[in-house]
Amino acid sequence: MTRAALSALWSFWRRNPLQLFTLVAGLALATALWSGVQALNAEARSSYDAAAAVLGEGRYDQLVPRSGETIPQETWLTLRRAGWQAGPVLEGRLRAGETSVRIVGLDPLTMPGGAGPVTQAGDAPLATFLREGTLFAHPEVAGALTAALPRPVVADPGLAPGTAITDIGVAQEILNRPGALSRLVLAETQPLGRPPLAEIAPELVRQTSRQSADIGQLTDSFHLNLTAFGLLSFAVGLFIVHGAIGLAFEQRRPMVRTLRTLGLPLGRLIALMAAELAAIALVAGGIGVALGYALAASLLPNVAATLEGLYGAQVSGALSLRPAWWLSGLGIALLGTALAASGAFWRIARMPVLAGGGRRAVALPAGRRHGRQAALAVALMAATPLVLWVADGLVAGFVALGALLLGAALALPPLLDRALALGARWARGVRAEWFWADTRQQLPGLSLALMALLLAMAANVGVSTMVSSFRLTFTGFLDQRLTAELYVETESAAERAALRTLAAREARALLPVLTVETRLAGRRAQLRGLRVGPTYSENWTFLAREGAVWDRVAAGEAVIVNEQLARRADLWPGATLELAPGRSLPVAGVAGDYGNPLGQVIVGEALFRDLFPEETATRFGLRTETPQALRTALVEEAGLDPGQITDQSALKAFSLEVFDRTFTVTAALNVLTLAVAGFAMLMSLLTLAGMRVPQLAPAWALGVTRRTLGRLELLRAGVLAGLTAAAAAPLGLALAWMLLAVVNVEAFGWRLPMFLFPLDYARLGLLALAAALAAAAWPALRLARTPPSALLKVFANEA
Amino acid sequence: MLLEVDGLTKSYAGPEGPVEVLRGVDLALDAGRTLALTGDSGSGKSTLLHLIAGLDTAEAGRIRLDGAEVTALDDAGCAALRRGRVGIVFQQFNLIPSLDVAANIAFQARLAGRHEPERDARLAGALGLTPHLAKYPEQLSGGQQQRVAIARTLAARPKLVLADEPTGNLDETTSGAVLEEMLALVAETGAALLMVTHSEALAARMERRLHLSRGRLA
Amino acid sequence: MRHETLLALTALLAAPLPAGAQGFAGMGTDAEGFATPAPDPRFEFPADHGAHPDYRIEWWYLTANLEGPEGTAYGLQWTLFRSALAPGEAEGWESPQIWFAHAAVTTPEAHHAAERFARGGTGQAGVRPDPFAAWIDDWRMAGESFDDLTLRATGPEFAYEVELTAEGPLVFHGDGGYSVKSEAGQASYYYSQPFYRAAGTLTLPGGEVAVTGSAWLDREWSSQPLAADQTGWDWFSLTFESGAKLMAFQLRQTDGGTFASGTWIAPDGTTEALGDGALTATPLEETQVAGRMVPTRWRLEVPARDVAVTVAALNPRSWMDTSVPYWEGPVRVAGSHAGRGYLEMTGYE
């Protein structure tokens, strides 16, 4: 029985391959977009991590020499024998032919946490690393190294550009620095009872990992937003799937009735149809994951490492796929299909045996359904602010987002209907009137495709806004927080004196970094003292401010709080904060502080020293036009070690490069999402094409040429797409606003400011129009070439 | 007794309250016999047929078919009954458009799990369908489509064939030919036949006839 | 016969670095270029207390049963392993010798463990026979002689320093220190000093505890310790109230069978080897620890010595969450003989 029924069900797809194609392609594209965004996410993440991960920079504290370039290996040994868990690193430059390679030598046995570069260097067996003297090199320099050294070299795209990693012994040999180390990486957990550093190795300085850790939360927020857009892209694809399934089920109603009258139980029938759809979903999902792979591979430079992580392909050659990732792709395809098909199944389950023999007309007369749909849309959109008002949390944020999008999508057909009615009223001439009326009649058949277009457009507007706003905020934040060109870490009063002397002569300004952790407004928070000057007043922007913020702070009359604290303790300009018993000051400004988990209060330097007289600044920012010269002077004249000086331009440049890469991918995703929406439109138009002939025949008979009919079809698609694009722009902005201002606040406690990019939106609108016109081109051409006999048949049948 | 119907009552919701379509219908049919059910439009002929086939449910009364209490069966039971013991020939053929003629003929027998390809071939031959086996329903004339429906029903070897205006969609000449072929084949298979028709001529071809009027049999 | 840990590291070295426990397959491989133990060994002390770099694996394995001032029982472990990537020693980073160590303190409620890694040749870890010193980083077992040692180790949440004084002779297992590990003839050199008196201080999250008790040091080296079909083992070192001691182990095979062996040690240090079949160990109760079931109560029988005892873990959660994980902790003995000791179990995946 099952086989007979299955063959009957399957025969439908065999006889309607276009519908099967629509379904599979829609689902595959949806899954591919989702996978592509995941890949993008992973790529961005790995780019951030690549620099930091080399030698656990940013993750682990390090010991560096107080003066000079190297640490004697005996010092490391002394530290180990005293219990200090530290891994030795020797770093140096090696000339290999024309290029200079950064050689990093390390000891895999004592490197902290196993998160060091050995795991970075792929799955190098420890024995290979230790015994064969292998170098793991970035592909760009692997060739040069192979030519220059009589040693095995393995290319590894997971490494930072220009870098090669090898065993510490090998590094000492090829750099010709026996017994020398550059720095020691400290494990996060250290055993009890170690003697203090100053006692056993006073010549070393501990460098904390603080700076780079700060951007972690900021990037997490970025990834959360991208994930939301991944889901949205998937939703666009689901509209196609929903449309395809709905159409197929409508057309199969007579078959369902026949199968049941012939004795197939309803439960079995539904189970079989579900199994059939599940099989299709699995195939489409598989194609989608593979497409996502191709998408990622073609979009992202240096993607091998990412793909390795995502798809589990191993460098060793044996391709073993990571099941979890594939399963999640297939799972989301199945889930999406279930979602898209639930309505169709529900109708079949409730359908009496004898009902549903006749097909429900695919294109219902416009108007009647719109009332109910509009009411539902209004209810959903009204629910959006209600949800935000009543509930808190990330889930509420996403629920509200979902309600807004669904509501907007449902509102589209009634809105378009109104707009077209308006057009009809202003139309002059019989042909124009007929055009508007006919367009209106087409609306129900195209509404699903138009909803997909709406969501695709909105997603694109949203993603552009989000990514661009993020970039502006991020670079602005970097400018604001890393204002000084150089940062110097000092270890002694003598060094500080030397620094002051030199800075007075060579630098534009010397800015002490004064920070203590304390309790403020009833919670753990940082108090920061700033030497107020043009550095801050020119670079800082405030989310909220009152009066001359910097003057008031400099005079010790007011404080600045960071956004986190402002939100958590409700401290906005005008509120008062108690800094110490009996010492309260008003809040003058609120500043963004992206990525800081703690609240922060900023006061003037004088007030800070007053409150914490025992705190000495050990870290200083230096403003200068000539950072290189100043750096040299600091080392040569003030006797500082290069390890104590941080050049902030490197961090900035790296961050911006990551963004540029992200932008390329975002642009490509925009095109793809619109292509998917265009595909939905093409499929709808093709489905409608058969029904169009009887509708158009009278117009043809009355003297409209087939060419004109074809042109009008194209124009119709353009008008509908244009109207949809007009509706999508505000929706996309609302979407971006909710992600930046609602979801982000719920997830991280701070809000990303939103910037508008009208030119981008205009470009996106044109792109959407182009997609719609491209989709309409073929159906229009087919119409223009309909043989007159086919048109004549319409009248013959009617007779 | 193959089929027994006792006191069957059924009504539908109408614009001015419920309309009683059947009011206590009694009926009996022996294995291998034929019976015509006539009546005006709306007299409830089709409703009675649907109730017997388990496609619809009655308010009161009972139907026994081949020892089974149809009125007491659940949805799955009714489906099993239709699969195994009843064959229905509809006015609008109800073929599966995406399957070819051969697959359509074999379909119900395969559902019931007793498919015999030789029997299909014999039926197709008797009904003149052999040249059309690879065609799809949309490529056939109305008469040919109804022949396919008849072949499908008889291929499953039902004990009772229910026919609802089987020739209602056909022109007169075709109608006569199809009917003759159907009667001959039903007699050959030994199935009982209950045919709903509004045509006196058709009814006269059956062994017995009952007239349904105002929801009662006469 | 201990510590597949070491063996697992051998496997680890042939496998990707982050692989963790690789199981025990492949440990019974051939000894490429390594020396192999031969029957009738002639030990030379103190030289043989030191390292034997021509053999693939070696360990200095100390366990102690201790008691605090209020009678609370504690267990302590200090182990230094040597695993060679190639035979012999070389200077500096070229050394093929890998050293690693485990230290643990077990209380009835908690189990603290730490591990260390080092390469030979740099001085970060090593063993010197005379005066004896075994060390890795700040962990040390050293003294004027092998009979008089100071032991210390530190971890993120514990530390200890204990004095060890031998009150009996060295004990040689198997045939004069040649210990057979499988029917196929895999073997190791294996001797112990089970007569240490121990006294010292444990530093625990709750503060310092003065402890006294007894300790047992195992010395073993080999190059091919396991047969291919052996999956793991259960190892017991028990000290009875009568003064007698028992070392017993069984190697579990893939076919479900076992190879069991042991040594009966009289209070004066005289020994009797117990061959395969002379003893049986049967699990009585399992505990779920680190996501797997591990037997933590055993029935141990040596019919020839009228031993029929129950061995129960002081803390069933004595799981060594090290790179190569295993179970190791103090036990209490009841039944025909009362006493205490240590249990080690490996290969429970």
Side-chain angles (χ1 to χ4, degrees), chain A residues 73 76-77 80-83 85 88 107-110 118-119 123-127 130-131 167-169 172 189-192, chain C residues 13 15-18 85-86 93-96 98 116-119 122-124 135 137-138 140 154-159 203:
Chain A
Q73 196 164 305
W76 166 72
L77 199 58
R80 289 295 305 198
R81 297 294 301 272
Q85 296 297 291
D107 175 28
L109 290 170
T110 50
V118 175
T119 37
D123 292 327
L126 184 55
L130 290 183
R131 295 300 298 158
D167 184 58
I168 181 99
Q172 286 181 344
T189 53
Q190 294 282 339
L192 303 176
Chain C
L13 291 175
L17 179 64
L85 298 172
W93 298 110
E94 289 284 294
S95 166
I98 306 287
R116 297 290 172 87
F117 287 95
R119 201 178 321 187
T122 64
Q124 191 199 339
W135 75 93
D137 293 346
D138 56 327
R140 261 177 95 74
T154 57
E157 50 197 10
F158 75 96
T203 307

Side-chain angles (χ1 to χ4, degrees), chain A residues 70-278:
Chain A
T70 56
I71 304 172
Q73 196 164 305
E74 289 69 43
T75 308
W76 166 72
L77 199 58
T78 309
L79 279 164
R80 289 295 305 198
R81 297 294 301 272
W84 280 75
Q85 296 297 291
V89 175
L90 173 66
E91 215 182 315
R93 295 231 150 241
L94 182 77
R95 284 224 66 86
E98 293 298 295
T99 51
S100 160
V101 184
R102 176 184 171 220
I103 301 288
V104 178
L106 54 99
D107 175 28
L109 290 170
T110 50
M111 206 63 197
V118 175
T119 37
Q120 269 278 305
D123 292 327
L126 184 55
T128 310
F129 203 88
L130 290 183
R131 295 300 298 158
E132 291 163 21
T134 307
L135 287 99
F136 295 86
H138 188 269
E140 282 169 19
V141 294
L145 274 181
T146 310
L149 293 173
R151 290 185 174 273
V153 176
V154 174
D156 188 336
L159 294 170
T163 304
I165 285 183
T166 189
D167 184 58
I168 181 99
V170 176
Q172 286 181 344
E173 190 194 314
I174 62 179
L175 294 172
N176 195 23
R177 285 156 82 184
L181 305 174
S182 306
R183 50 207 162 91
L184 308 177
V185 180
L186 285 173
E188 274 166 324
T189 53
Q190 294 282 339
L192 303 176
R194 283 163 308 139
L197 186 64
E199 236 171 67
I200 46 169
E203 68 276 22
L204 298 187
V205 180
R206 183 172 185 146
Q207 227 176 39
T208 58
S209 61
R210 187 180 39 207
Q211 294 121 291
S212 26
D214 277 354
I215 63 167
Q217 236 200 8
L218 195 59
T219 56
D220 278 350
S221 141
F222 185 64
H223 295 313
L224 178 73
N225 283 315
L226 270 184
T227 303
F229 278 112
L231 275 172
L232 210 58
S233 309
F234 186 71
V236 173
L238 281 195
F239 267 83
I240 305 173
V241 177
H242 180 77
I245 291 177
L247 182 65
F249 275 45
E250 286 302 337
Q251 293 184 346
R252 287 208 286 189
R253 272 167 169 251
M255 187 197 288
V256 166
R257 175 200 154 122
T258 303
L259 287 175
R260 289 185 67 191
T261 55
L262 295 182
L264 190 67
L266 178 64
R268 177 83 64 105
L269 180 67
I270 289 183
L272 287 176
M273 290 176 93
E276 175 199 55
L277 268 188

Side-chain angles (χ1 to χ4, degrees), chain A residues 57 72 106 119 193 325 328 385 403 447 494 506 516 524 566 582 586 627 744 776-777:
Chain A
E57 269 165 11
L106 54 99
T119 37
W325 205 84
S328 82
S447 58
E506 306 277 341
V516 290
R524 204 155 69 89
N744 211 68

Side-chain angles (χ1 to χ4, degrees), chain A residues 598-631:
Chain A
L598 286 183
Q600 193 178 67
V601 175
I602 292 161
V603 298
E605 188 184 357
L607 179 57
F608 184 91
R609 292 194 191 283
D610 205 17
L611 288 168
F612 292 92
E614 73 284 4
E615 279 297 320
T616 316
T618 56
R619 206 160 165 255
F620 297 86
L622 282 164
R623 299 303 313 271
T624 173
E625 272 86 42
T626 53
Q628 278 313 315
L630 182 60
R631 190 190 173 98

Side-chain angles (χ1 to χ4, degrees), chain C residues 75-101:
Chain C
L76 173 155
Q77 181 197 348
W78 190 103
T79 318
L80 180 64
F81 301 94
R82 182 186 60 77
S83 173
L85 298 172
E89 181 59 303
E91 275 299 299
W93 298 110
E94 289 284 294
S95 166
Q97 303 290 331
I98 306 287
W99 296 84
F100 64 108

